[in-house]
Structures are given as C-alpha cells and as structure tokens.
Amino acid sequence: TITDWFTYFTQEENGIIILFITGFLGLFLIGFLFFKPKYEPPPPEPEEPKKKKASSKTAPAKKVTKRVKPAAAKPTNHPLRVDSLSVQRAITTVKFDPLGKYLAICTDEFIKIYTTASIEERSYRHFRINFESAPVDFDWSKDGYHFIVGLTNGIIRAYQLSDKKKFDDKYYKLVKEITTKQTEIKSIFISRDSKLIGSSSSGTDVKIFNLKGEVLATLDTNQMKNNKIAMSPDVKYLAAGTFTSDVRLWEILYDKTGNFTGIPKAPVSSLRGHKSGVPSLVFSADSNKIFTASFDGTCKIFDINKEFKKNQEPFCLKTLEESGKQPFSHIAISLSENLIAAASGKNLYIWDNKGNQLALITEAHTKDITSLSWSAMGENELLASASRDGLVSLWKSKA
C-alpha cells in the first residue's frame, strides 16, 4: 500500500539507496538528451550525367577578316578607248611629257612613269617612286628629262631622268628638294624655260622659286582658295583659277638681259564671264589664249593677246556648255590646238577648236575624273584621262 511505501522510504538506510538510484537515472537521462549523436542520412547516390540531345544545328564558324586587295576597276567599253592602265590607287594627276616619250601617273602614294613606246607595245615598262606624303601635282620640263612632284606636306621634289638604256628604278635621280613652307600644296608648275618653279597652296598664297629653291616672289590671290595656277609658255604671264569666278592674270617682269626681276602684287587683268569657281585652266601654245573650266557647267576660251598697259581687256572668244549644267573640273587642249577635252564628273567631252562636239563619253570612269592630258602617239592625238577609280584610259578623238 501507499502507507507501506512511504514507511519504507522514510527509513534512513533505504532512503540513501533510493536517492542514489534516482540520481544515477537522472544523470543518464540528461546525458541521453544532450549528448546523443545527431542522425545524418546517408549521402545520395550520384546521378548519372544527362546526355545532351544531338542538335541538328552546327555551331557558327568564327569570322576571319582578311585584308583583300581592292579589285581593279574595269575600263569602259567604248569605240574611242584605245587602252587602260590600272594602278589600283586614287590618281591625282596624269601627264605626258612635251616630247611624247613618257606618261606620268601620280597617285596619293606614289608616281609611276611609263614609256609611251612600251604602252603601244603593251609591255608597259615603268618605274615607281614612293613618297611619305601624298603627291598632289606633277609637271614636266620642256626637254622631258626633268620633272617635279608637289607633296601635301609642302615639299617640291625635282628629278632628272637618266640617259641609260635600261628603264628601271635607277633611271632617275633626285636633284633638288624645295621646302615651300606652305601648309598644303594645291598646284605646281615648271616654266617652259626651266628657270622658274611655281607653287600654290590650298589657301591664297602663290610662290615662285628659282632652281636653287630660293623664293623670288610671293603673291596673294585674295580669292579665298586657290585651285590651279599656270605660267604662259612665253613665260610672261601667271594665271590663277580660284574659288571665285574671276581668273586673275599677273605680268612677270624681267630685266634687259632676261633675268627675272619680280611680279607686281596687283594683277594686270582679270578674266570675267564665269558664274562659279574655276578649278582648271591652260594656256595655248602661243600664249595668246587661256582655256578655262568652271563649276558653272561651262568652258571658255579667252583672248589675252592685249596691251594691258593701254587698258585693253581680254574677252571671251567662245563658250562651251554642258547640256545638264553639271560642273566641269578639268580641261586640256591637244598639241595641235585642234581638240579640246573637258571632264564633268565621270563624263568626258571632246570638241574641235570651233566648239563642235566630237564626242561625249558618259561614264568614262567609275569615279570622278581627276586629270586630263593630250599627247601624240602614232598617227592619232591621244587623250589620257585619270580617275579616283585607279585607271588611266587612253582615248582617240574619232573612230
């Protein structure tokens, strides 16, 4: 009974035993509760990697950029075209020498000079001169053995051809370098007597040098921007085509012995009649006329055989017009002065000296024409046209 249990526990000896047992069980219970190991589930079995489904699409190939040499422009098929020469660079100037022995092609990196005999033979013998600055203009001396090159960095280099028979890169030598101190050369010339060199900048200044590179005269055209300068074959006049519609004309002065003495600052006359800028001009062989091309879509022939000191004014003899009034950029006259050629964009015009149109070659080049030059090769007078498309094409005046 409960009373008996109470009596049993209250006895001293039995109580000690009971307390000991109770304490032991309490310690065991505490140890079980606080120090039992935590249950950790077994690690999951590794899953087999999923196989990627085969794709019908193939991975795109990496793009590889290759430097491709620009393809040469194709010459225009035309019954008047005789031949074409490709240099695969934008051409700034093309020019036959006065004797018709050489053809110079001036690009934005180099010049190439061909013998006209090799062009007729289709062997195209030539040599090449590279430049550190872009060549912008070129001119021959009267004897055809000297030439000058104007560079955009303001330097003019004069060269002499060799008498050796082998036509190669040793066929020429540099004889003079002139530092013009002009920011950018626009146009150059060498006088017909080979004593003077002229240079115009893209600004308004014009400089005249002797063959030693010494400055003999400096002019200001006062016309905002220079386009083209030229000296008459008799070495008496200097003409400048500029941004404005007037062509300025200066007289060149000499002493009794024929030595250059100077150029007056004021022009002796102006050629008027155009309505826009004049990018190109050329003197006749007798120095009595000037042929001009203008952005107004006309070409004009001016008579300058006047006594300017008696206030006689030059006047326009003839105007040649482009039917669409597209701007003309270049003009050239044949050696006989019987033929006139002009360029308007990609188109080429040929007239006789009476103003009758002999030919209109549309799309003569794939890019704008940049230069024209006449020469006598064989029985025909041939015209060379150059373009930014890298081609020089040779044309005859009639079929």
Side-chain angles (χ1 to χ4, degrees):
T1 66
I2 295 175
T3 303
D4 294 333
W5 275 100
F6 180 78
T7 302
Y8 179 79
F9 280 110
T10 55
Q11 293 180 2
E12 183 177 356
E13 293 178 359
N14 294 335
I16 293 172
I17 294 171
I18 296 292
L19 288 173
F20 178 80
I21 293 171
T22 303
F24 177 80
L25 291 174
L27 291 173
F28 178 81
L29 180 61
I30 291 171
F32 178 81
L33 292 175
F34 289 97
F35 298 102
K36 68 177 181 177
K38 295 181 179 180
Y39 173 75
E40 295 183 0
E45 294 183 2
E47 295 182 2
E48 292 184 5
K50 294 180 180 181
K51 294 182 180 180
K52 292 183 179 181
K53 293 181 179 181
S55 175
S56 59
K57 297 181 180 179
T58 58
K62 291 183 178 180
K63 293 182 179 180
V64 179
T65 304
K66 294 182 179 180
R67 293 182 65 117
V68 180
K69 192 174 183 179
K74 294 182 179 180
T76 302
N77 291 323
H78 195 278
L80 296 182
R81 191 181 68 82
V82 177
D83 200 357
S84 289
L85 292 79
S86 174
V87 294
Q88 298 188 20
R89 295 295 306 178
I91 301 172
T92 56
T93 307
V94 61
K95 202 155 195 177
F96 287 103
D97 79 290
L99 304 179
K101 295 174 61 177
Y102 305 105
L103 174 65
I105 301 175
C106 182
T107 77
D108 56 359
E109 283 189 357
F110 55 82
I111 65 170
K112 285 185 175 183
I113 295 182
Y114 294 78
T115 63
T116 54
S118 71
I119 294 175
E120 290 182 289
E121 299 167 356
R122 305 295 173 97
S123 59
Y124 306 108
R125 293 191 303 275
H126 69 276
F127 64 80
R128 168 174 167 162
I129 306 176
N130 296 321
F131 296 92
E132 75 286 354
S133 181
V136 291
D137 204 6
F138 180 102
D139 200 16
W140 289 99
S141 64
K142 181 181 178 180
D143 60 13
Y145 280 101
H146 298 83
F147 60 90
I148 58 174
V149 183
L151 309 179
T152 53
N153 61 4
I155 291 176
I156 297 175
R157 289 185 180 148
Y159 296 86
Q160 179 180 336
L161 295 181
S162 170
D163 291 328
K164 58 184 290 188
K165 293 182 179 180
K166 190 176 181 181
F167 195 77
D168 56 18
D169 290 346
K170 295 181 181 179
Y171 196 78
Y172 68 91
K173 65 177 179 179
L174 177 67
V175 294
K176 187 64 182 178
E177 182 172 289
I178 300 173
T179 301
T180 66
K181 296 183 180 178
Q182 292 172 316
T183 54
E184 182 181 353
I185 290 177
K186 184 72 174 181
S187 175
I188 61 171
F189 67 79
I190 183 168
S191 63
R192 188 61 63 92
D193 61 2
S194 299
K195 293 182 179 180
L196 302 175
I197 292 174
S199 172
S200 69
S201 73
S202 57
T204 62
D205 62 307
V206 176
K207 292 185 177 182
I208 306 297
F209 303 87
N210 60 18
L211 297 185
K212 295 179 181 180
E214 299 168 337
V215 179
L216 301 180
T218 301
L219 299 173
D220 192 334
T221 60
N222 293 311
Q223 300 297 297
M224 298 177 66
K225 178 183 177 182
N226 295 328
N227 286 328
K228 182 68 176 179
I229 58 170
M231 184 171 282
S232 60
D234 62 6
V235 204
K236 291 182 179 180
Y237 295 104
L238 173 68
T242 66
F243 177 82
T244 65
S245 58
D246 292 347
V247 174
R248 297 297 177 93
L249 194 65
W250 287 266
E251 186 179 9
I252 303 172
L253 304 179
Y254 299 89
D255 61 19
K256 293 181 179 180
T257 61
N259 295 319
F260 176 92
T261 58
I263 302 176
K265 300 294 182 182
V268 69
S269 185
S270 294
L271 311 184
R272 295 182 173 89
H274 285 298
K275 297 178 181 179
S276 189
V278 178
S280 181
L281 56 84
V282 60
F283 282 90
S284 61
D286 60 7
S287 302
N288 290 332
K289 294 185 287 292
I290 292 181
F291 299 74
T292 61
S294 173
F295 292 134
D296 64 9
T298 66
C299 295
K300 292 182 180 293
I301 306 172
F302 290 92
D303 180 2
I304 63 167
N305 186 24
K306 302 298 176 181
E307 294 186 42
F308 297 111
K309 292 181 180 179
K310 295 182 179 181
N311 295 323
Q312 294 182 1
E313 292 293 328
F315 65 93
C316 179
L317 294 170
K318 192 171 291 294
T319 298
L320 309 173
E321 296 191 39
E322 198 279 319
S323 58
K325 288 294 182 181
Q326 296 299 312
F328 282 109
S329 58
H330 296 83
I331 191 168
I333 57 173
S334 65
L335 300 180
S336 65
E337 296 188 14
N338 291 326
L339 300 170
I340 305 168
S344 176
K346 304 172 187 176
N347 301 332
L348 186 59
Y349 294 78
I350 300 177
W351 298 276
D352 63 19
N353 56 8
K354 296 180 181 179
N356 300 311
Q357 189 179 102
L358 302 179
L360 167 56
I361 306 170
T362 58
E363 301 290 329
H365 288 268
T366 58
K367 294 184 179 180
D368 286 354
I369 296 171
T370 56
S371 185
L372 299 172
S373 181
W374 285 97
S375 182
M377 289 176 61
E379 297 180 357
N380 287 319
E381 286 186 300
L382 291 187
L383 173 68
S385 64
S387 168
R388 298 189 187 281
D389 63 10
L391 278 180
V392 170
S393 289
L394 302 178
W395 312 88
K396 53 187 178 180
S397 58
K398 53 186 177 180

